Amino acid sequence: MGDVRVAAGLDRLPWLADEPQTRALPRRRRMWPLWLAAGLVALIVIAGAAYWLGTRSSPVEQPRAAIADRVPVTVPLPAPVMPSPLP
């Protein structure tokens, strides 16, 4: 009978006076609104930069001399062939 063990955790009876009081953990602040706002701001900045770059860049144009030197070409089409009627 010399073997005495301490009952801890769920083995304890909650109405006993020597029951240790658990401290409430500090409540974590929710950070998802901050991350959502930061993501939206980043999206707006990226979209604005893409729009700005798109309006400022010009497509590569051919020189006017190369366009003026082209001669229109007419390609003759083959004669039309009428299909034979089905038997």
Side-chain angles (χ1 to χ4, degrees):
M1 283 215 152
D3 187 23
V4 178
R5 297 181 188 193
V6 175
L10 295 176
D11 293 337
R12 297 282 304 165
L13 298 175
W15 56 83
L16 294 177
D18 62 339
E19 182 70 24
Q21 298 295 323
T22 58
R23 287 189 310 172
L25 295 175
R27 189 173 178 192
R28 285 186 49 189
R29 291 178 22 195
R30 293 189 175 153
M31 298 296 286
W32 68 266
L34 180 65
W35 285 107
L36 180 64
L40 288 175
V41 167
L43 182 66
I44 290 170
V45 167
I46 291 171
Y51 176 77
W52 184 78
L53 285 173
T55 57
R56 299 293 182 255
S57 61
S58 63
V60 176
E61 295 182 14
Q62 293 181 349
R64 295 287 177 191
I67 295 173
D69 291 343
R70 292 184 184 166
V71 178
V73 177
T74 304
V75 177
L77 298 175
V81 177
M82 296 298 290
S84 62
L86 295 174

